[in-house]
């Protein structure tokens, strides 16, 4: 189980930046600045060569700090890493993020073993070495050493992301910011001397602000532990994983990258199925699936009702529903009658329900109100092509109201530029993720259905 | 063949806006404004009830205009559409965009036949009725009646797009603007009384500013004609198609939407293969494929070299290369030797070539320079994770120079926020499209390879 050392990794009351620097080009400067920008607790820069940095008193070593130190971020040169970590142990530091590289990834396996012994001796918990570390948008812990103008931090949100690759993690965080995907916690664990994916999933399973867990994995050191932890946590929270190195060529590349024995695609897909992990096939799908899983309840079945003002998108939705193993819901006779009464004659009352090009908010509201009451509908896919003059911004309120009143899962689909994106972001804030193509939206619904089956099976 | 009436549809010297209006809510107002904003030729508003609109003299009917009229845009009520078109014929108008609806789509098939006879009688060429019409970013023809603040027009560029669905077309145009995908011509042909997909593909095949043709199709009225035209044009220019209504459910929806006999997925995929059309499976792939096909020459083979500063993205690229039927290129002994000399010891010289996290522009430049000379490499995939502090903006210049000097196809992959996107747009301007995930980039390379086979087979 996770324990207090993991808690203080994400929510320390105090942090020592060991290897803090005055030089803006050094990681020790970037990371100190990160904490000064976002962290509310006490910050202790540690560097034996300077008296103060950016107005903060600097300590020669961690054990010279008088107050309690929950978390130490280690950014010192590899040569003095062991003695520095030992000193943190002496001080009683509870958890470590070890950014410093020059361990097993360069062949220095003995040195890494020694590091492991020191960490164990003092009962510390550690992320790293050779990693990007930890970001917590709520507590303000931020050991990401990429400049903020190159890597925007995502907004607070319900997704936590654990990545075996630092660079991929950094790119995903930055991308998440621009896609307005909100995140809670991010961990890149590098060589994984102590905490690895399974420990972190275990912790995130109990974390209140995490509603969905996303993973990037190349390989597993302990497959049994992964299965045990994921089987348990996936009952409580959805876990979505992107597995790299599934092909022969990719497996060799993974061996060279993280030293992972990647294992075949089939074996991994079997493992994921066994322990309730939802597998994705591309980086963007990590977002696409996590977003819907974090916001909406799992589907009770696979019957989707499609409401659209663009016929073409309706046809594509119908195609995707069949391709993805979902079903077009059949409207009840009562609903058909009500829809016929409420909608203009030229609207063909069937599913997908094409409200036609001049649909306004009232038409959406009327149709959704009837469909949301249908027991034969497990999920509503609302397609909004916002380019038309008849459709106003208030359609967002209408959809949100129906979603909140009816408690029926609602997914949106809308393609377009600024005007469209503005409205889609408004929907997303209300818990209704929007996807740019019907296929992506239907795949997201498929993930909700898959998670429904995972939850119910156990 | 296309003929002069199709030319004047896209590049008229003069246009009559028949049904021009003073009311900003009317399509006749929006379309007149569009032309006033972007069209350089003569504009004649036509409306019997007003003397002038927005400072332009208004004519009671097209035949009352004294000068030549190349194109008439018909926006009048359905009731007077036939006599209005007849009057255009009398006037000697060469081509028509008929926005007006209320024909076969509402069951008025006789009326549509009559409209067809009038158009034929006067040897006019027509797009519509019941359509969004034509956008030409070069000539400024713009019959799109959606407000510009809701539907941004894409920038000038090498892709032309023909859509059987107006609303889908509108969404794609707007999306293209925000993705900075440049377009030349767009046509939504609605009921297709005269010009349909095949005629338009035929015309675009001869159009100088069109380097790739994108299609959205639900069904074909004349399959033989489509095959004939595409077989001929696909030798000259790539054609990319998204076919909707491939599933049983989608086929029914297409019947209801455009009255198309959609036909089975297998039949259509066979037709596309036969006539050299590259098929895509989602709306975003229309962009992804068209962009690369419009800018770069087809691949001579399927051997890809991957250069990256993020190991994880390299692993994913290797997976995608195997999955998509491409191959990881094998570096020559000479290249391996040169790479070892040029790169730091910790870089493992293999493909994917991971330049590791602290790679700078020089490292990219050195590696690309060696790889671009390899005869065993058909395409270079450059992965740039721009979040790291060591990688500067000048990497864009380095890649562009190598691409221009070596004439080897180069595709980029980069995920991230504002900083990343700024640089990816800079690359795209130089003809190097950038994709957010390795899989998308490899699929695009696959399309280039597929097009190479299409060109060489014939």
């Amino acid at each position: 189980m996770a324990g207090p050392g993991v808690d203080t990794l994400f929510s320390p009351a105090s942090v020592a930046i060991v290897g803090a620097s005055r030089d803006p080009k050094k990681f020790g400067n970037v990371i100190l600045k990160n904490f000064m920008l976002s962290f509310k607790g006490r910050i202790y820069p540690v560097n034996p060569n300077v008296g103060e940095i950016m107005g903060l008193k600097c300590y020669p070593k961690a054990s010279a700090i008088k107050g309690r130190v929950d978390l130490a971020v280690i950014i010192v040169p590899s040569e003095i890493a062991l003695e520095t970590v030992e000193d943190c142990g002496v001080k009683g530091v509870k958890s470590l993020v070890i950014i410093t590289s020059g361990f097993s990834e360069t062949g220095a396996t003995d040195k890494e073993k020694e590091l492991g012994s020191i960490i164990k001796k003092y009962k510390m918990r550690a992320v790293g070495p050779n990693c990007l570390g930890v970001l917590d948008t709520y507590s303000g812990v931020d050991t990401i050493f990429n400049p903020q103008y190159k890597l925007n931090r995502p907004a607070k949100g319900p997704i936590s992301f654990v990545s075996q690759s630092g660079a991929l993690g950094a790119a995903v965080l930055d991308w998440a910011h621009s896609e307005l995907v909100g995140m809670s916690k991010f961990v890149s664990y590098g060589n994984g001397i102590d905490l690895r994916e399974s420990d972190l999933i275990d912790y995130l399973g109990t974390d209140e602000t995490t509603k969905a867990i996303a993973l990037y994995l190349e390989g597993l050191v302990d497959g049994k532990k992964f299965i045990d932890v994921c089987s348990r946590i996936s009952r409580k929270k959805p876990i979505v994983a992107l597995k790299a190195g599934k092909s022969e060529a990719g497996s060799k590349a993974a061996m060279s990258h993280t030293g992972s024995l990647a294992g075949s695609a089939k074996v991994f897909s079997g493992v994921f199925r066994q322990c309730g992990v939802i597998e994705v096939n591309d980086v963007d799908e990590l977002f696409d699936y996590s977003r819907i899983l974090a916001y909406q309840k799992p589907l009770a079945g696979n019957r989707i009702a499609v409401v659209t003002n663009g016929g073409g998108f309706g046809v594509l939705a119908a195609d995707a529903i069949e391709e993805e193993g979902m079903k077009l819901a059949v409207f009840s006779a009562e609903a058909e009658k009500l829809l016929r009464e409420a909608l203009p004659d030229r609207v063909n009352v069937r599913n997908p329900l094409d409200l036609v090009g001049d649909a306004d908010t009232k038409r959406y509201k009327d149709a959704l109100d009837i469909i949301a009451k249908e027991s034969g509908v497990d999920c509503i896919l609302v397609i909004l092509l916002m380019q038309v003059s008849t459709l106003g911004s208030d359609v967002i309120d209408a959809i949100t109201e129906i979603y909140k009143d009816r408690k029926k899962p609602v997914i949106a689909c809308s393609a377009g530029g600024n005007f469209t994106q503005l409205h889609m972001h408004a929907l997303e804030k209300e818990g209704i993720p929007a996807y740019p193509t019907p296929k992506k939206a239907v795949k997201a619904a498929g993930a909700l259905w898959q998670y429904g089956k995972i939850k119910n099976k156990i």
Side-chain angles (χ1 to χ4, degrees), chain A:
Chain A
M1 277 301 293
V6 187
D7 269 328
T8 50
L9 200 61
F10 296 103
S11 305
S14 53
V15 62
I17 311 294
V18 188
S21 169
R22 282 182 168 171
D23 179 353
K25 286 189 177 161
K26 293 268 175 76
F27 292 173
N29 182 275
V30 175
I31 293 174
L32 177 58
K33 260 191 255 164
N34 289 347
F35 276 86
M36 291 176 73
L37 273 171
S38 56
F39 183 64
K40 297 285 177 292
R42 294 213 60 161
I43 305 170
Y44 302 105
V46 176
N47 182 332
N49 305 315
V50 287
E52 60 94 20
I53 305 177
M54 294 186 271
L56 290 179
K57 186 190 166 187
C58 202
Y59 296 81
K61 50 185 187 171
S63 58
I65 299 167
K66 285 195 186 121
R68 192 181 91 189
V69 177
D70 283 345
L71 169 67
V73 184
I74 310 294
I75 325 157
V76 299
S78 172
E79 296 71 33
I80 57 164
L82 295 186
E83 59 197 88
T84 303
V85 169
E86 178 96 41
D87 180 66
C88 288
V90 170
K91 168 63 192 164
V93 166
K94 295 189 188 74
S95 48
L96 301 167
V97 174
I98 308 168
I99 305 293
T100 306
S101 57
F103 293 88
S104 63
E105 83 282 5
T106 62
T109 45
D110 284 350
K111 193 172 172 185
E112 186 154 313
K113 267 185 203 159
E114 216 177 316
L115 177 67
S117 307
I118 299 169
I119 291 167
K120 231 175 204 164
K121 183 167 77 182
Y122 293 100
K123 296 199 174 76
M124 296 185 281
R125 300 310 304 260
V127 158
N130 180 37
C131 71
L132 205 57
V134 174
L135 173 76
D136 186 315
T137 59
Y138 290 90
S139 74
V141 166
D142 181 354
T143 73
I144 315 260
F145 47 76
N146 307 74
Q148 299 231 7
Y149 75 95
K150 288 186 163 189
L151 192 167
N152 290 295
R153 271 58 166 173
K156 289 184 179 71
I159 300 168
S160 286
F161 178 39
V162 176
S163 177
Q164 197 169 354
S165 164
L168 183 139
V172 166
L173 285 181
D174 187 24
W175 198 11
H177 173 269
S178 76
E179 298 274 320
L180 302 193
V181 174
M183 290 207 169
S184 171
K185 294 170 175 59
F186 163 78
V187 191
S188 140
Y189 53 84
N191 298 1
I193 196 162
D194 176 31
L195 297 167
R196 299 184 62 91
E197 61 288 334
S198 302
D199 313 283
L200 295 162
I201 293 167
D202 202 359
Y203 175 79
L204 293 171
T206 64
D207 176 47
E208 269 188 30
T209 57
T210 299
K211 307 296 179 196
I213 301 167
L215 289 181
Y216 170 81
L217 271 187
E218 293 188 3
L220 289 171
V221 171
D222 187 344
K224 193 191 165 301
K225 185 173 174 186
F226 181 82
I227 293 172
D228 286 350
V229 169
C230 289
S231 300
R232 186 159 36 81
I233 301 302
S234 64
R235 298 181 201 193
K236 296 194 280 184
K237 284 179 196 181
I239 306 171
V240 179
L242 175 64
K243 166 70 178 73
K246 291 202 294 187
S247 66
E248 203 184 316
S251 173
K252 278 184 201 158
M255 188 48 150
S256 163
H257 178 221
T258 52
S260 294
L261 273 171
S264 83
K266 271 191 192 164
V267 169
F268 261 91
S269 296
V271 165
F272 288 150
R273 247 196 320 275
Q274 187 188 339
C275 58
V277 170
I278 296 170
E279 194 179 359
V280 299
N281 290 308
D282 204 356
V283 186
D284 54 343
E285 287 185 1
L286 265 183
F287 289 160
D288 288 351
Y289 287 30
S290 302
R291 282 158 68 200
I292 192 83
L293 287 162
Y295 286 116
Q296 301 222 358
K297 63 180 183 190
L299 301 193
N302 63 348
R303 299 162 302 175
I304 303 185
V306 181
V307 180
T308 181
N309 64 338
F313 266 53
V315 178
L316 290 170
D319 280 346
I321 285 170
E322 197 167 303
E323 277 164 34
E324 301 297 328
M326 307 296 279
K327 276 189 185 142
L328 270 176
V330 178
F331 297 145
S332 68
E334 171 66 10
E336 282 192 3
K337 185 174 155 277
L338 290 171
L339 287 168
R340 251 183 231 110
E341 284 166 13
L343 301 172
D345 285 346
R346 62 186 182 284
V347 170
N348 195 342
V349 173
R350 56 191 307 287
N351 185 18
L353 183 63
D354 182 359
L355 300 176
V356 308
D358 63 348
D360 56 8
T361 294
K362 185 175 180 306
R363 213 179 290 168
Y364 269 96
K365 204 179 164 80
D366 289 345
L368 288 171
D369 206 27
I370 295 162
I371 291 170
K373 288 174 194 151
E374 286 282 282
S375 62
V377 169
D378 299 307
C379 174
I380 306 176
L381 169 55
V382 185
I383 297 172
L384 297 169
L385 299 179
M386 297 293 297
Q387 287 81 19
V388 293
S389 52
T390 48
L391 197 58
S393 298
D394 53 355
V395 72
I396 303 303
D397 305 317
I399 294 167
T400 306
E401 267 170 46
I402 294 224
Y403 168 59
K404 303 221 156 153
D405 285 357
R406 297 292 165 196
K407 316 283 181 215
K408 182 128 15 209
V410 175
I411 298 177
C413 168
S414 193
N418 305 342
F419 186 80
T420 293
Q421 282 162 25
L422 183 81
H423 290 86
M424 294 309 102
H425 293 326
L427 268 184
E428 178 123 8
K429 275 194 190 158
E430 301 293 335
I432 305 172
Y435 298 87
T437 74
K439 190 192 274 268
K440 288 183 206 296
V442 169
K443 282 180 115 171
L448 270 191
W449 184 45
Q450 196 183 336
Y451 189 55
K453 288 188 288 184
I454 289 166
K455 275 203 111 164
N456 291 331
K457 200 186 285 175
I458 305 164

